[in-house]
Amino acid sequence: MEYRVQFANYWSEKNGDEVTDEIMSLEDARHWIANHPQTEYVILQREADAPGSIWSLLSRENIRTRPD
């Protein structure tokens, strides 16, 4: 699987908050979110051999960046 980070809402994009188009591991995506607590992000996922434009939203339960 491949993962990338995207803004969770329009206002983050409008405010110019930081985002990356980088394809990364799930661990790296979680780390990215943890290092940017001022902005809400979601993680997108796709099969590594899927066409470039096909991404799905990773469930919130799988985004958890810190242990309970």
Side-chain angles (χ1 to χ4, degrees):
M1 294 293 281
E2 296 178 330
Y3 301 90
R4 61 180 267 236
V5 176
Q6 177 178 298
F7 294 120
N9 59 60
Y10 170 75
W11 290 111
S12 292
E13 184 173 357
K14 185 172 173 105
N15 290 338
D17 293 336
E18 191 175 356
V19 73
T20 178
D21 287 333
E22 179 183 340
I23 294 173
M24 56 187 77
S25 69
L26 181 55
E27 181 180 335
D28 289 341
R30 287 175 174 158
H31 186 70
W32 170 272
I33 291 172
N35 285 335
H36 297 85
Q38 69 282 3
T39 305
E40 286 200 41
Y41 294 100
V42 293
I43 297 175
L44 302 178
Q45 66 180 2
R46 72 174 180 192
E47 294 288 334
D49 59 352
S53 62
I54 299 183
W55 292 91
S56 60
L57 186 63
L58 187 67
S59 70
R60 288 238 179 238
E61 295 81 34
N62 292 326
I63 293 177
R64 183 171 301 154
T65 59
R66 295 179 186 96
D68 292 333

